[in-house]
Amino acid sequence: MYSVRNVSEDLFWIGADDRRLALFENIFPIPRGVSYNAYVMMDEKTALLDTADYSVGRQFFENLKHVLGDRNLDYVIVNHMEPDHCALLADIARDYPDAVFVGNAKTFQMISQFYQLDLSDRNLVVKEGDTLTLGKHTLTFVMAPMVHWPEAMMTYDVTDKTLFAADAFGSFGALNGNLFADDVNFDRDWLDDARRYYTNIVGKYGTQVQAVLKKASGIEISTICPLHGPIWRENLGYILDKYMKWSTYTPEDKNVMIAYASMYGDTENAACALANLLAERGLKNISVYDVSNTHVSTLIAETFRCSHIVLAAPTYNAGIYPVMENYLTDMKALNLQGRTVAIMDNGTWAASAGKQMAARIEEMKNMTVLPTMLSIKSALHGDRADELEAFADMIVESMK
Ligand code: FEO
């Protein structure tokens, strides 16, 4: 059965949800599933904007055929060449031999790399600002390199002021029938997944996202159609503000996140005692995560959200406990910057993780490591309560 939705009079969503996939990109858990959005513009000429992942190919083609009816497909606009959106291009090329493929020079290079598909007799290579008229609708192309791959571009429908934003403004999460962000409680049900999606997938490329946001600020946008997650047609300022913060590495909340790793519960005990002392000092919305039991993509998203981070971990093989090391590696890879960090470590005979964690943090941009580190010798006991109190005071002071 086809399953399509009107976005506007001439524009159809023909995507599909996948709730079977456990790991997006074979890395990120997606317990709420994911949607692959694709769109068809029905005008004097017809245009497909992106395809979908192979896993939803059957639904995608049924949707496409239903919307086209007895019309031909005239254009295939390829905004992004990651296989979760382009996996069906070769099938499209075969099934619609008259369709012209629209992309930039890098798009066609990647089509060739992935599919050895020769489209040289039916391609339209576009660059920034080029236009394509379908009839009533005129489309223009906005290059968006590294949001999230080098070939990424966006398509803007000048007529309806709709921005087809590729991966930007996307989110993990299946759509559950509600296609529009204003049909759901986005802040309650979607924001965490949107943040986790952005920070882990595009987080590294804040500068490039800023460049695209600057271009977007110069055009009037009434609707944003991303390749994953809900479509934005109301309150666009909400999601633009989030993107502004995320892409400039500005914390959303002034609060403390404690990320601890603990082999036998002793570092955990110290982290929990610290959380209580911070709460006693009036701090609200403290987050505490066991790094061993929290997927690193969630830790990263939370690190982008929070202003102050406490890292607590044992020494392991004279280094940093591996799950903490993995989190720090991801933090640096994703270009996280501008946070204040307090450090606790643990070691029964030669604690050194603290110094090593501090060194890793100091490799990142604009990070502040608070001066006093708290080093636990196997377990923290009441005889060191004053030290923990002073450690909590130092953190609170740093937030003023
Ligand atoms: Fe959803 Fe970069 O692909």
Side-chain angles (χ1 to χ4, degrees):
M1 174 68 189
Y2 61 82
S3 177
V4 305
R5 296 284 307 277
N6 266 93
V7 177
S8 58
E9 191 185 349
D10 305 322
L11 182 66
F12 296 82
W13 174 87
I14 63 158
D17 290 330
D18 186 348
R19 295 183 187 80
R20 293 187 175 197
L21 185 69
L23 296 174
F24 185 82
E25 291 187 356
N26 217 6
I27 300 178
F28 306 111
I30 45 169
R32 295 174 60 247
V34 67
S35 76
Y36 303 107
N37 300 340
Y39 304 91
V40 173
M41 183 78 80
M42 297 295 283
D43 200 339
E44 288 169 29
K45 298 283 187 186
T46 62
L48 167 67
L49 293 112
D50 294 292
T51 68
D53 190 81
Y54 226 92
S55 62
V56 298
R58 199 169 148 213
Q59 182 73 65
F60 168 86
F61 276 106
E62 190 160 1
N63 290 349
L64 177 61
K65 281 177 190 144
H66 172 74
V67 170
L68 287 175
D70 57 7
R71 307 259 323 256
N72 262 335
L73 180 60
D74 295 306
Y75 293 105
V76 181
I77 297 167
V78 186
N79 284 312
H80 187 20
M81 271 305 295
E82 193 161 6
D84 54 333
H85 309 295
C86 73
L88 305 170
L89 285 181
D91 303 71
I92 292 280
R94 182 197 60 220
D95 292 357
Y96 298 93
D98 298 328
V100 171
F101 285 70
V102 182
N104 57 62
K106 286 194 176 80
T107 313
F108 290 104
Q109 184 188 327
M110 289 189 186
I111 288 177
S112 170
Q113 284 174 210
F114 273 111
Y115 305 115
Q116 295 189 307
L117 204 54
D118 181 9
L119 298 170
S120 52
D121 59 342
R122 50 175 174 143
N123 68 12
L124 179 61
V125 182
V126 294
K127 55 186 186 323
E128 178 83 23
D130 284 356
T131 58
L132 173 66
T133 299
L134 301 178
K136 185 172 131 193
H137 295 268
T138 296
L139 307 179
T140 184
F141 302 98
V142 179
M143 299 302 125
M146 303 320 294
V147 187
H148 130 243
W149 278 13
E151 89 306 347
M153 65 180 201
M154 300 182 180
T155 300
Y156 177 63
D157 174 9
V158 179
T159 313
D160 276 356
K161 305 187 188 340
T162 298
L163 182 68
F164 298 91
D167 272 342
F169 308 106
S171 178
F172 295 134
L175 285 168
N176 304 336
N178 288 126
L179 187 57
F180 300 98
D182 53 283
D183 282 339
V184 298
N185 188 333
F186 193 90
D187 207 62
R188 186 191 68 192
D189 298 334
W190 282 85
L191 179 60
D192 286 349
D193 258 343
R195 184 189 300 107
R196 192 165 63 92
Y197 172 85
Y198 173 87
T199 56
N200 286 278
I201 302 226
V202 197
K204 177 179 175 64
Y205 303 112
T207 307
Q208 290 85 343
V209 173
Q210 278 286 300
V212 169
L213 288 175
K214 197 170 166 197
K215 287 188 205 176
S217 69
I219 53 177
E220 190 182 344
I221 300 170
S222 60
T223 307
I224 298 174
C225 292
L227 287 175
H228 303 284
I231 292 169
W232 290 86
R233 61 181 179 183
E234 288 182 13
N235 198 13
L236 269 54
Y238 170 92
I239 195 67
L240 286 165
D241 175 65
K242 295 295 179 197
Y243 265 66
M244 188 59 77
K245 287 199 171 80
W246 296 338
S247 61
T248 54
Y249 307 94
T250 304
E252 286 165 80
D253 296 324
K254 191 171 182 184
N255 73 332
V256 172
M257 166 191 178
I258 301 175
Y260 72 83
S262 188
M263 295 168 68
Y264 297 105
D266 294 302
T267 311
E268 177 182 34
N269 163 255
C272 293
L274 174 66
N276 276 328
L277 293 180
L278 293 174
E280 278 177 9
R281 283 156 175 75
L283 298 197
K284 299 190 189 307
N285 301 312
I286 301 164
S287 302
V288 179
Y289 291 102
D290 181 341
V291 175
S292 296
N293 293 325
T294 309
H295 193 269
V296 70
S297 63
T298 298
L299 298 172
I300 289 294
E302 284 295 90
T303 314
F304 270 70
R305 181 178 69 81
C306 302
S307 60
H308 288 66
I309 318 295
V310 178
L311 302 176
T315 305
Y316 199 84
N317 289 332
I320 305 167
Y321 193 61
V323 287
M324 180 62 78
E325 178 147 41
N326 182 44
Y327 167 41
L328 289 165
T329 299
D330 236 10
M331 225 190 267
K332 180 163 186 221
L334 292 165
N335 213 4
L336 184 92
Q337 46 195 276
R339 298 300 188 272
T340 299
V341 181
I343 292 177
M344 301 167 80
D345 74 355
N346 197 344
T348 294
W349 63 95
S352 65
K355 274 189 187 156
Q356 295 181 65
M357 286 193 285
R360 298 288 296 272
I361 292 292
E362 278 159 357
E363 289 169 4
M364 303 174 204
K365 289 180 203 154
N366 304 323
M367 301 292 264
T368 303
V369 178
L370 294 178
T372 305
M373 194 188 323
L374 198 145
S375 193
I376 302 161
K377 198 123 180 127
S378 303
L380 198 65
H381 300 287
D383 58 341
R384 295 185 67 193
D386 288 351
E387 269 183 78
L388 193 63
E389 298 264 3
F391 192 74
D393 287 338
M394 175 185 71
I395 294 166
V396 171
E397 189 61 33
S398 76
M399 299 182 79
K400 287 178 181 162

